Amino acid sequence: MDKEGPSWKDAILTSLLERDIIEKSFFTEIFTQYDSNKDIVLYLKGENTRLVRELTLCQQEKSSIQLELEKIKSVKSYDYEQKVFHLQEEVTELHRQKGNLAQNVIDLNRVLQEKDTLLQSKSLKISELEDCLKANQVQNHHLMEKVKGLEETKELLTDEQASHLMTAKALETKNRQLEDDNLQLMKRIKALQSTVERLKNIEYDVQYRKTQETIRKNLQDAVNSTIFVTDSDCSDKPLPCKSALPRNVAVKIDANENEVNSVRFTPSGHIFGSAGFDRKLRLWTYLNGKCEIHSTLVGCNAAVTAIDFDPNVSFPM
């Protein structure tokens, strides 16, 4: 019992102390706030006293100023009226300037709005240009990579070009040798061609001489031979007569550039052709004792030795 007695007392004492602390905490805040309010009230009372003194001083100064104003008005009222008039004019001018300034402010605000709009458009353009710049930078990066690849390709091509140049030099040396051989062959070919041409000329000369000899013999035989002419009005028996070459020159012409190998008239007897060693065939018209060139045919590879006309084709004059 002795041990249990002090324990419950201590518990009650402890609980009372705790309750006292809790309740005292509420009143402590109230006391603290009261003390602070008391200090504020004292401060406000001091301020009120000071303001009352200042108000009294101001009223005294006001009364003195009013007295001075009354004195000034009584002495210099006219001057003040003039000054007031000038001041009113200045105020009017200031109002007018104020209106002008207000209009200027409105104009400046409008210009400022326009500048803001322009600035916004410029900002949009700048943003677009920045986007383009970024895109160009990306493209430039890709192009730089391509350039690096192209430089590597260029190095490879340079190496290949060097090898090709070496090959070209070797081929050029061979080409020079071939050109020298070709020149030698061309010289030999020219010599052979000149020999062939000389042989052809000799052959043409021989053939020409044979032809001339044959023509001479044929003409001689024709002069010495007898021909028969049939006359439709006479009997059917042929009449013997001697043929003869013409003795008088009817027309003299330069038919061809070299010797003339053949001359032949058309069936009409007004056009004849001449051919010779100049490889040309010329047609002439013979009318009323005059002989004129009609046309010249070229394209033969050798001398023309004979001419003939188709009897079924008529030749225009």
Side-chain angles (χ1 to χ4, degrees):
M1 293 295 292
D2 294 335
K3 292 181 180 179
E4 293 178 357
S7 62
W8 65 269
K9 290 180 181 180
D10 293 335
I12 292 170
L13 181 62
T14 302
S15 63
L16 290 173
L17 289 172
E18 290 177 354
R19 188 179 67 180
D20 184 41
I21 291 168
I22 293 169
E23 290 179 356
K24 189 177 181 179
S25 63
F26 294 109
F27 289 104
T28 301
E29 292 178 358
I30 293 170
F31 291 152
T32 303
Q33 188 175 3
Y34 175 76
D35 292 334
S36 63
N37 290 331
K38 186 177 180 181
D39 294 334
I40 292 169
V41 168
L42 292 174
Y43 174 75
L44 291 174
K45 285 181 178 180
E47 288 292 323
N48 189 13
T49 303
R50 185 177 62 80
L51 291 172
V52 168
R53 286 198 300 270
E54 289 180 357
L55 180 61
T56 303
L57 292 173
C58 289
Q59 287 177 353
Q60 291 176 358
E61 289 178 358
K62 181 180 179 182
S63 60
S64 63
I65 290 169
Q66 286 178 353
L67 291 173
E68 289 178 358
L69 286 173
E70 288 177 357
K71 290 179 181 180
I72 291 169
K73 285 181 180 180
S74 62
V75 176
K76 297 181 179 180
S77 60
Y78 179 75
D79 294 334
Y80 282 109
E81 288 178 357
Q82 292 294 325
K83 288 182 179 180
V84 168
F85 179 74
H86 290 300
L87 289 173
Q88 288 178 352
E89 289 181 350
E90 290 178 358
V91 168
T92 304
E93 182 66 23
L94 289 173
H95 282 298
R96 187 179 62 78
Q97 292 179 359
K98 181 181 178 181
N100 294 329
L101 291 174
Q103 185 64 36
N104 291 331
V105 168
I106 292 170
D107 295 336
L108 289 173
N109 287 327
R110 187 178 68 254
V111 173
L112 184 61
Q113 290 177 358
E114 293 176 355
K115 295 293 183 182
D116 289 335
T117 305
L118 183 62
L119 183 62
Q120 290 177 359
S121 63
K122 294 291 184 182
S123 299
L124 291 174
K125 288 183 180 179
I126 289 170
S127 61
E128 291 176 357
L129 291 173
E130 287 178 351
D131 295 335
C132 292
L133 181 61
K134 290 179 181 179
N136 289 328
Q137 288 177 352
V138 174
Q139 188 176 4
N140 190 14
H141 180 68
H142 293 305
L143 290 174
M144 290 298 292
E145 292 179 353
K146 289 183 180 180
V147 167
K148 289 181 180 178
L150 291 173
E151 287 179 352
E152 294 176 356
T153 306
K154 181 182 177 181
E155 291 178 357
L156 294 174
L157 292 174
T158 304
D159 296 335
E160 291 181 358
Q161 185 180 7
S163 63
H164 288 320
L165 286 174
M166 295 176 65
T167 307
K169 288 181 180 179
L171 291 174
E172 187 176 357
T173 304
K174 291 182 179 179
N175 190 17
R176 288 177 182 175
Q177 293 177 357
L178 291 173
E179 286 180 354
D180 294 335
D181 295 337
N182 191 16
L183 288 174
Q184 296 295 329
L185 290 174
M186 290 297 293
K187 289 180 180 179
R188 293 177 64 184
I189 289 170
K190 287 181 179 179
L192 291 173
Q193 285 179 350
S194 62
T195 304
V196 170
E197 291 293 333
R198 187 170 61 255
L199 292 174
K200 284 183 178 180
N201 291 329
I202 293 170
E203 183 180 358
Y204 288 152
D205 290 337
V206 171
Q207 186 177 2
Y208 173 71
R209 289 174 183 175
K210 289 181 179 180
T211 304
Q212 292 295 326
E213 185 66 24
T214 303
I215 292 170
R216 189 182 64 79
K217 288 181 179 180
N218 291 332
L219 290 174
Q220 188 65 36
D221 293 338
V223 170
N224 296 325
S225 63
T226 301
I227 61 174
F228 296 93
V229 178
T230 302
D231 192 356
S232 59
D233 296 333
C234 300
S235 61
D236 294 334
K237 295 180 180 180
L239 298 176
C241 65
K242 284 282 186 176
S243 63
L245 293 174
R247 296 181 180 273
N248 297 324
V249 177
V251 178
K252 185 177 181 181
I253 59 173
D254 294 330
N256 294 81
E257 296 176 0
N258 295 323
E259 291 85 355
V260 178
N261 293 333
S262 177
V263 176
R264 182 63 61 90
F265 277 86
T266 60
S268 64
H270 297 293
I271 296 176
F272 67 92
S274 63
F277 277 93
D278 59 356
R279 302 178 184 179
K280 296 179 182 179
L281 173 62
R282 295 184 178 181
L283 298 177
W284 303 82
T285 58
Y286 180 73
L287 187 63
N288 297 326
K290 294 182 180 180
C291 187
E292 295 179 356
I293 186 71
H294 184 275
S295 61
T296 302
L297 304 178
V298 296
C300 296
N301 295 325
V304 182
T305 59
I307 306 172
D308 197 3
F309 293 99
D310 188 356
N312 297 321
V313 177
S314 61
F315 293 88
M317 292 295 292

